[in-house]
Amino acid sequence: MTATVEAAAPAAPAKGERASQILQHHGALMVLAATVLIGAIAFDSFATPQNAANIAVSSSFIAIIAIGMTFVIISGGIDLSVGSSFVLAGVLAAYGSRYGVLVALLLPLAVCGTIGLVQGLLVARTGMAPFIVTLAGLLGMRGLMLAVSGEGANTYLVEDDAFASLGQASFLGLTVPVYITLGLFVLGAILLQRTGFGQSVYAIGGNEEAAALMGVPVARVKTLVYVISGLLAGLAGALNAARLSSGVTILGAGLELDVIAAVVIGGTLLTGGAGGLTGTMAGVLLLGVIQSLINQVGTLTSSFQQVVSGAFLALVVVVQRLLHRAQHLS
């Protein structure tokens, strides 16, 4: 007698669960679209090509850093050093520009990438908390920047025209950093969604012990995400120096908080294991649009953006908790 075994089809997700998943993955895009629509209706000068270009250009630097931060947070970590990496890279790039465009680019990338490697090794190999390791990196790199710039008294000017053009040249109304950001977004999305490395990042963030039992090289992957974060923060700082034609020493304070806010607002869970670069880009643009709307109002100071960003972040975290609970109850 032959027994027939029928495989049960996986149950389709309930409507509530599907809705919570849509909000989790695409909520930032929905809010961004609604905010843009409101701005276009309320202000005549908001929905113009020039204003859109301004938002894209000003958001490109934080977007580059946020790409690296997305990898780190999905893996279950955090990188508080990116603001210091950004300003240190700008000073090093301006200083290195006297030796040509290659040195201006490679010097900050080498330094910030090496610091990211050290931080990654400390987190992955010693089990130290990412918060403590990268907080030490924040303080250390800020001190290194002050040492290189004579306690901030020396502002190095960009002396290579080819390097300066990387931050200032424009095509179709958009500067080079915007196109670099788009290219990095595409590459990062492919790496995160279409490669074994990306799947390992998700697995580690979801359950590190289970990932190790499945054969995922946990220490190597965790180290690499901090290297990626350091390199991208260094690149953003170098490009910003090219845009400003100098290595400004007063930048970067609190930048790491803006980056983390953009990533979390974009739907990446601080607990790790979930998120993506599309949401991160939406989060970055949403913060840029909010700043533009504040400028349109005219009676509000730029510091008001911090209030709005903080409120958005708190709201998103609460919504994420509620959605996570709803998914488990469905």
Side-chain angles (χ1 to χ4, degrees), residues 88-110 158-160 162-164 166 234-235 237-239 241-242:
L88 173 61
V91 172
L92 292 176
Y95 175 81
S97 67
R98 64 185 65 183
Y99 303 106
V101 62
L102 286 180
V103 176
L105 280 174
L106 294 180
L107 179 60
L109 290 178
V158 171
E159 300 181 15
D160 186 89
F163 176 62
L166 288 177
L235 176 61
L239 292 173

Side-chain angles (χ1 to χ4, degrees), residues 15-39:
K15 289 183 178 180
E17 184 177 357
R18 287 200 302 270
S20 63
Q21 289 175 348
I22 291 173
L23 285 175
Q24 176 71 50
H25 297 148
H26 306 294
L29 281 172
M30 297 176 185
V31 175
L32 174 62
T35 306
V36 169
L37 180 60
I38 292 171

Side-chain angles (χ1 to χ4, degrees), residues 37-247:
L37 180 60
I38 292 171
I41 294 173
F43 304 102
D44 294 335
S45 59
F46 178 81
T48 63
Q50 183 59 50
N51 190 51
N54 291 338
I55 294 173
V57 171
S58 63
S59 300
S60 60
F61 304 99
I62 191 173
I64 292 173
I65 304 173
I67 290 171
M69 185 68 77
T70 302
F71 279 83
V72 173
I73 294 181
I74 289 176
S75 73
I78 199 77
D79 189 353
L80 300 178
S81 68
V82 292
S84 294
S85 295
F86 177 79
V87 66
L88 173 61
V91 172
L92 292 176
Y95 175 81
S97 67
R98 64 185 65 183
Y99 303 106
V101 62
L102 286 180
V103 176
L105 280 174
L106 294 180
L107 179 60
L109 290 178
V111 172
C112 294
T114 300
I115 294 173
L117 173 62
V118 172
Q119 292 183 150
L121 288 172
L122 288 174
V123 171
R125 299 293 182 180
T126 69
M128 295 177 64
F131 180 90
I132 299 300
V133 171
T134 58
L135 178 60
L138 180 157
L139 298 173
M141 280 187 279
R142 181 69 61 169
L144 180 58
M145 181 275 297
L146 292 174
V148 172
S149 62
E151 300 298 322
N154 300 326
T155 300
Y156 298 108
L157 300 179
V158 171
E159 300 181 15
D160 186 89
D161 292 337
F163 176 62
S165 67
L166 288 177
Q168 300 172 9
S170 63
F171 303 95
L172 302 177
L174 299 174
T175 58
V176 173
V178 176
Y179 295 103
I180 292 176
T181 301
L182 292 174
L184 289 171
F185 165 71
V186 172
L187 290 175
I190 293 173
L191 182 62
L192 194 58
Q193 302 289 342
R194 303 294 181 184
T195 67
F197 172 77
Q199 297 309 305
S200 297
V201 172
Y202 280 106
I204 293 170
N207 191 319
E208 184 174 327
E209 293 182 359
L213 292 175
M214 288 167 25
V216 174
V218 174
R220 185 192 311 164
V221 172
K222 290 177 73 172
T223 301
L224 285 175
V225 296
Y226 286 94
V227 174
I228 292 171
S229 181
L231 287 172
L232 291 180
L235 176 61
L239 292 173
N240 190 57
R243 178 177 71 101
L244 299 176
S245 294
S246 63

Side-chain angles (χ1 to χ4, degrees), residues 46 55 58-59 283-293 295 305:
F46 178 81
I55 294 173
S58 63
S59 300
V284 170
L285 289 175
L286 179 58
L287 295 182
V289 167
I290 290 171
Q291 180 62 61
S292 178
L293 290 175
N295 294 337
Q305 184 195 10

